[in-house]
């Protein structure tokens, strides 16, 4: 498997990463590992309130298993970071509040 630039795909789109997953050129785990490495390299920018590498990799492995079972979807296996205003199962949500 070749590694890809996870932000964004070679043609500048998430669709490109989705195609690479579908074709087997990469895996969700590889994309997650690359995204985590990039987040780690960019810590000085203070972009993320919380990064959970173990949960990220577990979710990526689950996505790879779902893909192997034949499930498809345009975002299945694509790493996603979102603003801290969305309540998400298993992830800490503060909405930017110190309360």
């Amino acid at each position: 498997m070749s590694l890809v630039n996870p932000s964004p795909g070679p043609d500048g789109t998430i669709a490109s990463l989705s195609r690479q997953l579908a074709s087997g050129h990469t895996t969700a785990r590889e994309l997650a590992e690359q995204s985590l490495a990039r987040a780690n390299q960019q810590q000085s920018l203070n972009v993320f309130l919380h990064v959970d590498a173990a949960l990220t990799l577990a979710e990526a492995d689950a996505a790879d298993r779902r893909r192997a079972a034949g499930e498809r979807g345009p975002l299945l296996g694509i790493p996603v970071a979102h603003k801290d205003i969305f309540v998400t199962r298993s992830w800490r949500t503060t909405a930017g509040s110190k309360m």
Side-chain angles (χ1 to χ4, degrees):
M1 302 268 171
S2 63
L3 297 180
V4 295
N5 179 358
S7 58
D11 69 359
T13 65
I14 290 173
S16 174
L17 291 178
S18 186
R19 285 191 301 272
Q20 290 180 54
L21 283 166
S23 69
H25 283 91
T26 193
T27 65
R29 183 172 186 100
E30 288 175 330
L31 294 179
E33 288 171 341
Q34 291 174 37
S35 295
L36 289 166
R38 187 168 179 147
N40 191 43
Q41 291 169 351
Q42 306 286 331
Q43 281 184 347
S44 64
L45 297 176
N46 201 28
V47 174
F48 299 104
L49 293 175
H50 177 71
V51 175
D52 186 331
L55 182 54
T56 298
L57 294 174
E59 293 284 341
D61 290 341
D64 283 333
R65 286 191 300 274
R66 289 168 58 190
R67 292 185 77 76
E71 187 174 341
R72 294 292 180 262
L75 295 179
L76 181 59
I78 303 292
V80 175
H82 60 81
K83 194 165 179 68
D84 184 39
I85 59 171
F86 301 103
V87 176
T88 309
R89 184 181 314 134
S90 301
W91 295 91
R92 184 174 64 198
T93 303
T94 67
S97 173
K98 295 183 188 221
M99 295 177 61

